[in-house]
Amino acid sequence: DQQVKQNSPSLSVQEGRISILNCDYTNSMFDYFLWYKKYPAEGPTFLISISSIKDKNEDGRFTVFLNKSAKHLSLHIVPSQPGDSAVYFCATNQGGSEKLVFGKGTKLTVNP
Amino acid sequence: DTEVTQTPKHLVMGMTNKKSLKCEQHMGHRAMYWYKQKAKKPPELMFVYSYEKLSINESVPSRFSPECPNSSLLNLHLHALQPEDSALYLCASSQDHGRAYEQYFGPGTRLTVT
């Protein structure tokens, strides 16, 4: 049973517009969430994280929002750039340990 | 230096071969990880080393044998693998063990078992 769900396998947006990537989780005990970006033939690259004591964390063009009551988080990228085209994984540290549990990923394509 | 390096980039091996994957980081990180990633799937944790001691083994078959010779190096020894073990093997490291430390990934070794 998937504990971290990314229900959209792909997303396509125009350059300069906002990209919104969504992630749902099942366990209310999860309290730390991360987003990773992965280009083909490379390992995942850490983007941004958020703790459950916050509902928003911002880093440049990237903002993560956490809605604990809905068990939902989202990653906003604005403005989107063609170089942002990659697969984005949502992840959480299961049980407060160093074990990362990943969603299946969403492939973002930003069109020039 | 914020890089995790992995060698080789690609490896083809027969089911009777013995080979090793290597991972190295010089960021002073004290936790290191092996993940396995199949096509169109998320990475799945295999092993965690914390302060050079094995802290998590996700019920990985014994044909995969991890080794942490020192705090900068992590090896994965492979023996008698099956074709279904073909995958991208990712190494990662983090400053310390525990949930609050982001993991940095290497580029991976693409393994094909024939």
Side-chain angles (χ1 to χ4, degrees):
Chain A
D1 188 27
Q2 274 189 274
Q3 300 182 73
V4 179
K5 299 178 185 180
Q6 293 177 258
N7 292 319
S8 298
S10 63
L11 174 67
S12 184
V13 300
Q14 281 301 118
E15 182 178 5
R17 308 293 290 268
I18 185 171
S19 296
I20 300 177
L21 299 133
N22 294 304
C23 178
D24 297 295
Y25 59 96
T26 57
N27 190 336
S28 57
M29 298 299 290
F30 292 158
D31 60 356
Y32 195 76
F33 303 91
L34 308 93
W35 284 95
Y36 282 82
K37 175 171 78 172
K38 187 178 187 301
Y39 294 117
E42 293 184 13
T45 303
F46 169 73
L47 267 180
I48 193 169
S49 61
I50 189 166
S51 164
S52 61
I53 62 173
K54 295 185 175 183
D55 53 20
K56 176 183 174 181
N57 189 23
E58 190 172 355
D59 184 2
R61 297 186 296 114
F62 302 91
T63 303
V64 57
F65 295 91
L66 177 62
N67 182 333
K68 291 184 286 293
S69 60
K71 299 196 194 72
H72 177 85
L73 65 156
S74 60
L75 175 68
H76 292 210
I77 307 173
V78 56
S80 301
Q81 300 172 355
D84 296 328
S85 298
V87 177
Y88 288 78
F89 290 99
C90 167
T92 182
N93 291 93
Q94 185 177 5
S97 77
E98 57 266 85
K99 177 180 176 178
L100 280 180
V101 177
F102 288 86
K104 288 189 172 182
T106 297
K107 183 177 181 180
L108 173 66
T109 302
V110 180
N111 301 303
Chain B
D1 183 4
T2 58
E3 195 178 16
V4 176
T5 59
Q6 290 186 244
T7 55
K9 280 192 172 181
H10 301 276
L11 178 63
V12 180
M13 61 185 290
M15 289 189 284
T16 58
N17 292 158
K18 284 187 183 182
K19 297 285 184 184
S20 297
L21 309 184
K22 297 185 184 301
C23 174
E24 191 166 2
Q25 56 87 15
H26 294 288
M27 295 178 276
H29 288 177
R30 303 314 301 265
M32 296 186 77
Y33 312 78
W34 280 115
Y35 287 84
K36 175 182 176 179
Q37 185 176 21
K38 302 279 273 184
K40 300 190 188 301
K41 299 280 189 180
E44 293 181 356
L45 183 68
M46 299 175 72
F47 302 103
V48 180
Y49 272 82
S50 180
Y51 290 83
E52 300 163 47
K53 293 195 185 315
L54 184 64
S55 61
I56 295 179
N57 176 341
E58 287 291 302
S59 302
V60 179
S62 60
R63 57 186 184 270
F64 295 92
S65 175
E67 178 197 20
C68 189
N70 60 57
S71 60
S72 300
L73 293 173
L74 185 66
N75 298 322
L76 186 63
H77 302 298
L78 314 172
H79 175 54
L81 295 194
Q82 304 296 312
E84 59 265 28
D85 296 322
S86 298
L88 180 69
Y89 288 84
L90 293 161
C91 174
S93 70
S94 62
Q95 183 179 338
D96 206 331
H97 66 280
R99 60 175 175 82
Y101 296 96
E102 289 79 22
Q103 295 180 23
Y104 293 82
F105 285 80
T109 293
R110 175 73 60 189
L111 173 68
T112 303
V113 181
T114 60

